[in-house]
Amino acid sequence: MPDRPNIVLIMADQWRGDCLSLAGHPVVHTPYLDELALDGARFSRAYSATPTCIPARAALFTGQTQATHGRVGYRDGVAWDYPITLAGEFTRYGYQTQAIGKMHVYPERSQMGFQNVILHDGYLHYARGRNPDLDCVDDYLPWLRQQLGRDADYFDHGLNCNSVVARPWDKPEALHPTNYVITQGIEFLKRRDPRKPFFLFLSFHRPHPPYDPPEWAFEQYLGREMPAPPVGDWEQVFASLADPFRPDCAYGRIAPYVLQRARAGYYGHMTHIDHQVNRFLERLAEFGLRDNTYLLFTSDHGEMLGDHALFRKGYAYEGSAHIPMLLTGPHDSGIRPGSLLDALVELRDVMPTLLDCAGLPIPSSVEGRSFLPLARGEAEPWREWLHGEHTVFGMSMQWVTDGRWKYVWFSSDGHEQLFDLTNDPCECHDLAATGNCADQLRRCRQVLIGALQDREEGFVDEGRLVAGRPVNACLQHLRRQAGLES
């Protein structure tokens, strides 16, 4: 096998696309990720087409659209039986392949083509309910107990995994799940086979709640002045769902001090991850590997964090669906340092991009496209529109965007929204309600009709969108394959 570069894919969980200081965020500080972006390419219009953990990772691992991989919402317990995967292709071509951290697949020990997986998915209620011995589904917990004793648990502080409640980490920082991923990553660098190139997946559970960064990271944001979250002139569409006193509320105007602490915990996680990424990069350089390694940093989805009084993810809006995407490589990679690109890229593009970086063939099953040529400044025809969706609140929230316009359709009642992302990046003004953009609204609607034309739900009939159809988090072909439907 000819010499191949090493590949490192770093994924955070629930990291918003606007949360880089280099991108102009008014609060969060990410100096080392900023440096990574300055050394390579940053994609300002990167999206998660199905913005929750499970379907987003299906796109990442298969390079496929949601219509093909079959996951259009969040549902645990559906088997991951994809024959061609990102890690599987690297393994096929002689790479040493290692995953560390969050996978969120089923069964939990599915390797998805990796030769080895060191697993920590966080507090997964479904996995815990099926596995009274958590060592079966978590490598971090037994490691933690080796350090602190058999009764230690990462849930000792009592914070839930979808809660806005925040407090500092209650144990030594070196034992935090974020540090654990990097510690294990450095151990891999020490013990890898030096005769092989490697594909390493470093997957953080944070900044996903619980909002429990180390105390220094939490405290540096707790007293910071923060701009109020944007609230659109359309906020009332979710008014019937308001439940602001639930710690895991999806919609509601929560108490200002609770929101301040939640944001401090979220941003604190980001700065902590930023520092730990730098810890890994420094060791990569010390091992003499940095100059022959491509690195890609991204996230599975974002977090609404109070925008429009919404929390968590699964929505069509920028806070939920917009993600970071940074790519850097060796000095001779051709990637233009400091380039900022506005092409519409998404998670299904990661697999072909990384295979392209390694000079490996891209399987015919892959529906994404390599954005390495874009990062090199090569003129490439690119997609004009991106289609996204997710089941939420008993409906499917469908959306399309061309990078400027975003059209949103609620399958429950046919409600439509239209946003001008260039002039209204926070999506505060619903132009569909004004009647001033009828032509643009029709244009976007037709794009969505084209995307949904043959869907099993019957969202389109005689060239029109049809509301009120039953929805499922998994499409029929996946349900049948998993034995969930005869």
Side-chain angles (χ1 to χ4, degrees), residues 37-116:
L38 291 171
D39 288 340
R42 176 166 65 95
F43 290 84
S44 62
R45 293 294 187 193
Y47 285 96
S48 176
T50 45
T52 61
C53 303
I54 291 175
R57 288 161 196 271
L60 180 83
F61 289 145
T62 67
Q64 297 176 337
T65 66
Q66 60 270 22
T68 301
H69 66 62
R71 300 174 195 267
V72 295
Y74 184 102
R75 183 172 178 179
D76 278 308
V78 180
W80 290 61
D81 293 324
Y82 300 108
I84 299 175
T85 63
L86 170 60
E89 290 305 291
F90 277 107
T91 300
R92 179 200 305 270
Y93 287 100
Y95 272 70
Q96 185 174 356
T97 54
Q98 173 74 58
I100 301 171
K102 182 165 183 172
M103 293 284 284
H104 210 155
V105 300
Y106 179 81
E108 292 83 5
R109 286 291 180 186
S110 298
Q111 291 182 302
M112 296 304 293
F114 287 99
Q115 292 168 318
N116 190 51

Side-chain angles (χ1 to χ4, degrees), residues 13 101-105 108 119-124 137-138 205:
D13 192 326
K102 182 165 183 172
M103 293 284 284
H104 210 155
V105 300
E108 292 83 5
L119 190 64
H120 177 57
D121 280 343
Y123 194 108
L124 293 183
V137 294
D138 190 354
H205 177 269

Side-chain angles (χ1 to χ4, degrees), residues 69 71 78-83 475-485:
H69 66 62
R71 300 174 195 267
V78 180
W80 290 61
D81 293 324
Y82 300 108
L475 296 181
Q476 188 177 60
H477 67 85
L478 182 62
R479 300 198 302 272
R480 285 177 176 170
Q481 177 182 311
L484 302 174
E485 187 172 294

Side-chain angles (χ1 to χ4, degrees), residues 417-454:
Q417 296 177 315
L418 181 68
F419 302 105
D420 180 349
L421 298 178
T422 299
N423 297 306
D424 179 25
C426 295
E427 300 167 309
C428 289
H429 305 297
D430 178 10
L431 300 176
T434 67
N436 295 330
C437 296
D439 289 343
Q440 187 60 48
L441 188 64
R442 280 192 294 270
R443 176 173 171 255
C444 293
R445 188 186 300 127
Q446 286 304 124
V447 172
L448 182 60
I449 288 171
L452 297 177
Q453 187 66 51
D454 298 319

Side-chain angles (χ1 to χ4, degrees), residues 157-486:
H157 55 33
L159 299 192
N160 290 114
C161 61
N162 280 307
S163 171
V164 296
V165 180
R167 54 152 291 169
W169 176 244
D170 61 328
K171 297 174 176 61
E173 181 179 341
L175 305 183
H176 195 282
T178 292
N179 294 64
Y180 174 75
V181 169
I182 296 302
T183 297
Q184 296 300 320
I186 293 170
E187 288 300 310
F188 169 79
L189 296 181
K190 294 177 181 178
R191 295 186 170 89
R192 68 185 181 87
D193 184 342
R195 299 165 299 176
K196 293 183 177 182
F198 62 82
F199 170 53
L200 176 61
F201 180 44
L202 299 173
S203 182
F204 298 107
H205 177 269
R206 309 303 197 264
H208 188 296
Y211 292 143
D212 61 351
E215 185 172 7
W216 65 264
F218 182 71
E219 292 294 335
Q220 74 169 317
Y221 290 110
L222 190 57
R224 286 283 301 275
E225 183 177 347
M226 301 183 189
V231 177
D233 53 20
W234 48 269
E235 177 209 354
Q236 69 281 356
V237 301
F238 295 107
S240 64
L241 302 170
D243 200 355
F245 293 103
R246 289 187 61 88
D248 62 348
C249 73
Y251 172 82
R253 292 178 178 265
I254 67 175
Y257 77 92
V258 175
L259 179 60
Q260 179 78 7
R261 290 182 66 87
R263 294 168 92 185
Y266 184 67
Y267 299 145
H269 272 320
M270 290 174 160
T271 295
H272 182 210
I273 290 170
D274 178 81
H275 291 189
Q276 287 297 304
V277 168
N278 186 56
R279 176 186 168 211
F280 175 80
L281 295 179
E282 288 294 333
R283 296 307 303 272
L284 190 70
E286 289 172 8
F287 282 105
L289 299 168
R290 181 73 183 269
D291 290 338
N292 190 36
T293 300
Y294 285 89
L295 297 111
L296 191 151
F297 175 84
T298 191
S299 177
D300 54 354
H301 52 77
E303 157 68 57
M304 292 304 294
L305 203 65
D307 288 7
H308 317 294
L310 291 165
F311 293 88
R312 300 166 65 177
K313 61 275 188 180
Y315 309 103
Y317 310 118
E318 292 291 284
S320 167
H322 183 210
I323 56 174
M325 191 76 75
L326 312 177
L327 177 67
T328 188
H331 294 304
D332 60 357
S333 67
I335 296 175
R336 296 180 301 164
S339 53
L340 178 62
L341 303 165
D342 62 1
L344 283 169
V345 302
E346 70 122 330
L347 287 174
R348 68 179 140 128
D349 299 323
V350 170
M351 179 173 175
T353 298
L354 295 182
L355 291 174
D356 197 9
C357 290
L360 300 178
I362 298 170
S364 60
S365 62
V366 170
E367 296 168 300
R369 294 183 57 191
S370 171
F371 50 73
L372 178 60
L374 299 179
R376 289 172 169 165
E378 299 170 10
E380 284 277 311
W382 200 253
R383 65 176 62 95
E384 295 183 23
W385 290 88
L386 179 67
H387 168 226
E389 63 183 295
H390 203 281
T391 55
V392 61
F393 302 135
M395 66 172 177
S396 179
M397 183 177 278
Q398 296 280 338
W399 53 281
V400 293
T401 183
D402 64 355
R404 175 179 179 180
W405 299 98
K406 184 190 286 184
Y407 169 76
V408 182
W409 181 72
F410 294 13
S411 78
S412 54
D413 59 4
H415 182 71
E416 297 177 304
Q417 296 177 315
L418 181 68
F419 302 105
D420 180 349
L421 298 178
T422 299
N423 297 306
D424 179 25
C426 295
E427 300 167 309
C428 289
H429 305 297
D430 178 10
L431 300 176
T434 67
N436 295 330
C437 296
D439 289 343
Q440 187 60 48
L441 188 64
R442 280 192 294 270
R443 176 173 171 255
C444 293
R445 188 186 300 127
Q446 286 304 124
V447 172
L448 182 60
I449 288 171
L452 297 177
Q453 187 66 51
D454 298 319
R455 282 285 289 270
E456 67 189 48
E457 298 94 339
F459 288 142
V460 176
D461 186 27
E462 296 184 351
R464 295 185 178 184
L465 292 171
V466 179
R469 300 295 196 192
V471 298
N472 196 299
C474 296
L475 296 181
Q476 188 177 60
H477 67 85
L478 182 62
R479 300 198 302 272
R480 285 177 176 170
Q481 177 182 311
L484 302 174
E485 187 172 294
S486 60

